[in-house]
Amino acid sequence: MPVSGYDPEDVDDALESRLGESGLRERLDDEEWDAYRAEEASLVDLLDEDEIARLLDADRDR
């Protein structure tokens, strides 16, 4: 789901740096993980809007 006002690639980069590979792996099921790794889907596509907002807010608080 797109997040208004953000470039999806920038959001993906921020989420990936915040979570790391192990954190991403915990949040994505096998099918989602495979799609993400194959660049068929972005984290913006796979994570829900509330989780993206929460993770980005947590990143700003650091």
Side-chain angles (χ1 to χ4, degrees), residues 26-46:
E26 289 174 8
R27 285 174 169 77
L28 303 176
D29 64 27
D30 290 339
E31 185 177 308
E32 292 171 332
W33 178 250
D34 290 343
Y36 176 69
R37 298 301 293 164
E39 297 182 3
E40 296 168 354
S42 69
L43 294 175
V44 172
D45 297 325
L46 299 170

Side-chain angles (χ1 to χ4, degrees), residues 16-62:
E16 191 172 75
S17 69
R18 173 76 175 140
L19 295 170
E21 188 170 322
S22 63
L24 288 172
R25 192 67 187 106
E26 289 174 8
R27 285 174 169 77
L28 303 176
D29 64 27
D30 290 339
E31 185 177 308
E32 292 171 332
W33 178 250
D34 290 343
Y36 176 69
R37 298 301 293 164
E39 297 182 3
E40 296 168 354
S42 69
L43 294 175
V44 172
D45 297 325
L46 299 170
L47 299 174
D48 67 51
E49 186 176 353
D50 291 336
E51 185 168 17
I52 291 170
R54 184 181 52 79
L55 290 166
L56 293 177
D57 286 343
D59 197 38
R60 275 195 298 235
D61 292 341
R62 283 200 278 162

